[in-house]
Amino acid sequence: MKKKYLFTLLPSLSLAAGLLLGSCASNSEDPLSNGGEGTLRFNISAPLPFQATQTRAVNEEDYKNTDNYTVQILDGQNGIVKEGLYKDIKRTTYQLNNGTYTIKAFYGEESNASQEKFLVTGEVHINVAANDQAVNVDCYPTCGKLRAYFDATMSEYFSAYSITYETEALVQAGAAVNWTQTNTIPWYVKLNPQGEKVKATIHLT
């Protein structure tokens, strides 16, 4: 009896999955003489590493729209100096006292596994020393997007089939993601910032 099956993962997650969390980049212009203050301008980008789709619960296009993102300027003690939606502050220039700061941008909510939400975030650390800075903050998901496809003929050979996925975060929580033969909605699974391998176990009956 010929048995065949097919499942694929979107580019954001393979069986030897890597983290999709990207790095943040910044650039600064030539220093200006501003006494004990510096001038800050910033730009936020959120290039999703997978093709944006929409389900009943999630419209991934919302995560590409940086106007939705919350932006925070944090001081060296992680105190919030400025905060607001990017759509309201993207044309604003800030005067900051000399010192170290973190520029953080984010949208969504992180969980070990969800079909309804995920987190896209980025941050960059800067030093203000009486200079004028233009900073770029690139934001990426902290998750992998998981979707499996079964060959249409599998039902001819098996009465039930599924795939169980385990990540480091899920194992620590004593949980797993189960993709059944009727699943159609993607899972967003939290991944280790240093990268990790995702375990996939195929069940056939």
Side-chain angles (χ1 to χ4, degrees), residues 150 161-162 179-185:
F150 295 108
Y161 38 92
S162 63
W179 186 277
T180 68
Q181 63 203 67
T182 59
N183 273 150
T184 59
I185 300 175

Side-chain angles (χ1 to χ4, degrees), residues 28-42 73 81-82 92-101 103 126-135:
S28 302
E29 298 177 355
D30 293 335
L32 300 177
S33 179
N34 288 331
E37 292 185 337
T39 303
L40 174 67
R41 305 181 308 279
F42 47 82
I73 302 177
V81 178
K82 302 287 184 180
T92 302
T93 299
Y94 290 100
Q95 292 292 128
L96 297 174
N97 294 329
N98 289 346
T100 57
Y101 296 87
I103 314 303
I126 64 169
N127 183 56
V128 174
N131 56 340
D132 182 23
Q133 299 195 50
V135 177

Side-chain angles (χ1 to χ4, degrees), residues 10-205:
L10 296 184
S12 57
L13 183 65
S14 67
L15 291 181
L19 181 73
L20 297 177
L21 178 63
S23 61
C24 300
S26 68
N27 54 42
S28 302
E29 298 177 355
D30 293 335
L32 300 177
S33 179
N34 288 331
E37 292 185 337
T39 303
L40 174 67
R41 305 181 308 279
F42 47 82
N43 177 68
I44 307 298
S45 66
L48 287 184
F50 43 76
Q51 183 178 0
T53 59
Q54 182 175 359
T55 67
R56 293 189 303 273
V58 178
N59 183 359
E60 293 172 358
E61 289 290 342
D62 291 342
Y63 291 81
K64 296 173 64 176
N65 183 359
T66 54
D67 281 353
N68 296 327
Y69 281 60
T70 296
V71 179
Q72 295 176 336
I73 302 177
L74 309 174
D75 61 22
Q77 288 73 46
N78 287 323
I80 298 177
V81 178
K82 302 287 184 180
E83 181 178 39
L85 290 178
Y86 185 55
K87 67 179 180 180
D88 298 326
I89 63 177
K90 59 185 176 182
R91 294 179 179 86
T92 302
T93 299
Y94 290 100
Q95 292 292 128
L96 297 174
N97 294 329
N98 289 346
T100 57
Y101 296 87
T102 299
I103 314 303
K104 183 177 182 180
F106 56 91
Y107 179 69
E109 184 178 345
E110 187 176 68
S111 61
N112 290 338
S114 175
Q115 292 177 296
E116 300 179 350
K117 59 190 176 183
F118 60 97
L119 176 67
V120 180
T121 187
E123 65 180 46
V124 63
H125 305 284
I126 64 169
N127 183 56
V128 174
N131 56 340
D132 182 23
Q133 299 195 50
V135 177
N136 295 322
V137 182
D138 299 323
C139 302
Y140 293 92
T142 62
C143 67
K145 180 181 178 181
L146 173 62
R147 170 179 272 168
Y149 297 91
F150 295 108
D151 190 273
T153 62
M154 287 188 64
S155 59
E156 300 177 12
Y157 306 105
F158 307 104
S159 59
Y161 38 92
S162 63
I163 306 172
T164 298
Y165 293 98
E166 296 173 276
T167 64
E168 292 178 8
L170 287 169
V171 170
Q172 290 176 3
V177 164
N178 189 40
W179 186 277
T180 68
Q181 63 203 67
T182 59
N183 273 150
T184 59
I185 300 175
W187 282 93
Y188 305 100
V189 292
K190 179 182 176 181
L191 297 176
N192 188 320
Q194 304 303 318
E196 67 171 282
K197 293 183 178 180
V198 176
K199 180 180 179 180
T201 304
I202 301 172
H203 308 278
L204 303 172
T205 56

